[in-house]
Amino acid sequence: MDIILLNTADQPIYQQIKSQMITQILNGQLPEGEKLPSIRGLAKELKISVITTKRAYEELENEGFIDTVPGKGSFVSSRDRGMLRERQLQEIQDRLKLIVEEGKKYDMGMDKMIHLIKKWYGED
């Protein structure tokens, strides 16, 4: 499992861990049933707080990406990846809806919004 943390990123460290693990789970780099590093082990490897790693694992478990078995560790969930991907897409759609509503409050037109999205996608 490869995790790259950036102290200069806008996301908190636990969110960076969580999002990178989700990506690796959804694209098959972390196959279902694979044992994950322990919370303490990952914290030591990444040179971060155990609390930070614990929060990332808790959120991953709450969202159905990993399962934790007391005394055995955490494993990539065997739940349907299609369902997990759908949930992620729904979350993105919900956030995008909020962003569009926020843009409308400040009279940001659709053309400007599309321009910004293309810019962030690297198409502009």
Side-chain angles (χ1 to χ4, degrees), residues 3 5 11-25 30 42 52-53 55-63 65 88 91 95:
I3 300 209
L5 301 178
Q11 287 183 316
I13 299 293
Y14 80 90
Q15 188 67 40
Q16 291 179 52
I17 295 168
K18 177 182 157 188
S19 63
Q20 289 180 51
M21 287 179 73
I22 288 172
T23 299
Q24 291 177 35
I25 290 168
L30 289 173
L42 185 59
T52 301
T53 309
R55 181 165 181 189
Y57 274 43
E58 284 174 349
E59 289 198 10
L60 286 164
E61 185 169 17
N62 290 339
E63 293 178 23
F65 289 98
Q88 286 296 108
E91 187 176 319
R95 285 192 221 159

Side-chain angles (χ1 to χ4, degrees), residues 18-32 60 63-65 76-77 79-89 92:
K18 177 182 157 188
S19 63
Q20 289 180 51
M21 287 179 73
I22 288 172
T23 299
Q24 291 177 35
I25 290 168
L26 292 178
N27 70 20
Q29 285 178 287
L30 289 173
E32 75 178 51
L60 286 164
E63 293 178 23
F65 289 98
V76 176
S77 179
R79 295 183 186 139
D80 179 16
R81 286 178 197 257
M83 180 189 73
L84 295 173
R85 186 176 299 278
E86 274 300 313
R87 191 169 352 144
Q88 286 296 108
L89 290 175
I92 290 168

Side-chain angles (χ1 to χ4, degrees), residues 42-106:
L42 185 59
K44 184 176 180 180
E45 179 183 329
L46 297 175
K47 297 179 174 119
I48 59 172
S49 164
V50 171
I51 296 168
T52 301
T53 309
K54 185 174 192 272
R55 181 165 181 189
Y57 274 43
E58 284 174 349
E59 289 198 10
L60 286 164
E61 185 169 17
N62 290 339
E63 293 178 23
F65 289 98
I66 67 172
D67 296 313
T68 301
V69 180
K72 294 194 179 199
S74 296
F75 302 84
V76 176
S77 179
S78 59
R79 295 183 186 139
D80 179 16
R81 286 178 197 257
M83 180 189 73
L84 295 173
R85 186 176 299 278
E86 274 300 313
R87 191 169 352 144
Q88 286 296 108
L89 290 175
Q90 185 61 50
E91 187 176 319
I92 290 168
Q93 289 175 0
D94 292 345
R95 285 192 221 159
L96 189 55
K97 181 180 177 187
L98 292 172
I99 290 168
V100 168
E101 289 171 357
E102 191 75 13
K104 285 180 179 180
K105 285 182 195 175
Y106 298 103

Side-chain angles (χ1 to χ4, degrees), residues 96-117 119-120:
L96 189 55
K97 181 180 177 187
L98 292 172
I99 290 168
V100 168
E101 289 171 357
E102 191 75 13
K104 285 180 179 180
K105 285 182 195 175
Y106 298 103
D107 295 323
M108 179 184 278
M110 184 170 35
D111 290 338
K112 178 67 175 171
M113 187 76 68
I114 291 170
H115 172 76
L116 289 172
I117 291 170
K119 178 181 173 184
W120 291 320

